[in-house]
Amino acid sequence: MSSQNIYILGIESSCDDTAASVIHNGKILSNVIASQKIHEEFGGVVPELASRAHQQNIVPVVHQALKKAGITKDQLHAIAFTRGPGLMGSLLVGTSFAKSLAYGLNIPLIDVNHMQAHILAHFIDEEGFEKPSFPFIAMTISGGHTQIVEVKSYFDMTVIGETIDDAVGEAYDKSGKILGLGYPAGPEIDKRAQQGNPKAFPFTKPKVDGLNFSFSGLKTAILYFVQREVKANPNFVEENLNDICASIQYTIIGILIDKLKRASKQTGIKHIAIGGGVSANSGIRQALKDGEQKFGWTTYVPKFEFTTDNAAMIAIVGYLKYLEGNFAEQSVTASARLKI
C-alpha cells in the first residue's frame, strides 16, 4: 500500500482555527489555516462565534488546500478529520463536512484524535527534522491541554501525567490578563521574558504528586503578588513588566521540566518530544535542548508551523491510519472530550 501515490486531505476545526492540508505519502503539499481574530476582543475563544466562523471558512480553506497541492478532489484517497477533543460546535462543522465530502467522493473517512495528532506531527517528512524513535515521551502543551504521554508506537499511547486544573496555555493567558496584556498572552510573555530577569520575582511551584500538573495555584499567586505590589506602587507592572514576564515563564518552564525529568526517570526513556501550541515558546524549546546536555536526553521539537492547531498533523495521522486500513464509519460522531 505504501508504494502507491496516496493523497489524504486533513481537516482541523477543534477550536478557533479552520485548517486543511493535503499530504502525499507522508510529505505535506499544502497547509492552509484561517485564524479567527474576533476572539481577541473577548480575551478568549467564544464557542458560538468560532463555529459560525468555521462554517464560513471551511469551503474556501479546503479549496485553497487542494489548489496549493496541485490536485483535484477526485485524486484524494481519503478524508481525515478531527473528531475531538475540542469545542463541540467547532468539531461538528469539520466532522459534518468531512463525512459529506467522503460520502460524495465514495472514499474512506478517517477520524483523528487531536492530541494524538500533536504527537504524530513529528512523523511528517520534513527536511532537517528528525523523527522520534519508539518508545518516547511526548509532552503536549496547549491552551486546553497539558499531558505527558508514553508513546510505544503510532497508536499505542498512554497518558502518564496531566493537569488537574488549568492547562499551561491558560496559565499564560490568565497571567497575561492580570498584567493587562492582550489575548493570546503566551507569545507576548515569551517575547518580554527574553528581555527580563527570570529570577527577579520568585514564584512558588505547586506541589502535585506523581506526574500530574497544577497551574491554578500559580495564577492565584501571581494575582495576589501583582495586587500587593500595585497597592504600594501603582506603576509597578508598567515599570517591571519584562522582569515579571521572565519570572512567570521561568517558573512555568521549571514546572514542566521537573515533571519531564521525573517521567524520564520513571520510565527509563530518554527520547523526549514536545507538541501543541505552547511548544512554539522559545523558552520551553531552549530548556528542552538544554536537557540534552544536563540529562542525556534526545529531544524532538516540531517545525514551528506544526505546533499550533493545524491540519498537517491531522493529515499525517490520516496517512498512517490509511496504511493500516483503519477507517471510520459514516455513523461516527464528534466527541468534545475524546481521550488518547
Side-chain angles (χ1 to χ4, degrees), residues 100-170:
S100 302
L101 187 56
Y103 186 82
L105 295 172
N106 195 28
I107 57 176
L109 181 68
I110 301 170
D111 63 312
V112 174
N113 182 303
H114 180 86
M115 299 312 295
Q116 277 190 337
H118 273 305
I119 295 168
L120 295 178
H122 285 277
F123 293 92
I124 295 169
D125 286 340
E126 195 67 37
E127 199 174 328
F129 289 83
E130 207 177 323
K131 297 175 184 177
S133 304
F134 296 115
F136 66 92
I137 291 170
M139 185 170 68
T140 54
I141 42 179
S142 66
H145 298 88
T146 303
Q147 296 179 328
I148 297 177
V149 184
E150 185 176 351
V151 186
K152 293 174 183 170
S153 68
Y154 293 131
F155 300 109
D156 183 1
M157 302 182 185
T158 306
V159 176
I160 57 175
E162 60 189 334
T163 182
I164 59 173
D165 42 56
D166 289 350
V168 65
E170 289 175 291

Side-chain angles (χ1 to χ4, degrees), residues 31-152:
N31 188 28
V32 179
I33 302 173
S35 297
Q36 302 173 8
K37 297 292 184 187
I38 193 169
H39 305 285
E40 291 177 8
E41 62 183 282
F42 297 102
V45 177
V46 182
E48 179 60 28
L49 294 178
S51 53
R52 288 182 193 176
H54 283 305
Q55 288 179 312
Q56 293 174 334
N57 293 338
I58 195 159
V59 172
V61 164
V62 168
H63 176 76
Q64 188 69 10
L66 291 169
K67 188 177 176 183
K68 278 193 172 183
I71 66 167
T72 68
K73 63 182 186 295
D74 298 314
Q75 290 173 265
L76 293 170
H77 290 78
I79 311 292
F81 70 97
T82 302
R83 184 185 170 208
L87 302 174
M88 182 53 88
S90 296
L91 291 167
L92 284 171
V93 176
T95 301
S96 302
F97 184 88
K99 287 168 71 172
S100 302
L101 187 56
Y103 186 82
L105 295 172
N106 195 28
I107 57 176
L109 181 68
I110 301 170
D111 63 312
V112 174
N113 182 303
H114 180 86
M115 299 312 295
Q116 277 190 337
H118 273 305
I119 295 168
L120 295 178
H122 285 277
F123 293 92
I124 295 169
D125 286 340
E126 195 67 37
E127 199 174 328
F129 289 83
E130 207 177 323
K131 297 175 184 177
S133 304
F134 296 115
F136 66 92
I137 291 170
M139 185 170 68
T140 54
I141 42 179
S142 66
H145 298 88
T146 303
Q147 296 179 328
I148 297 177
V149 184
E150 185 176 351
V151 186
K152 293 174 183 170

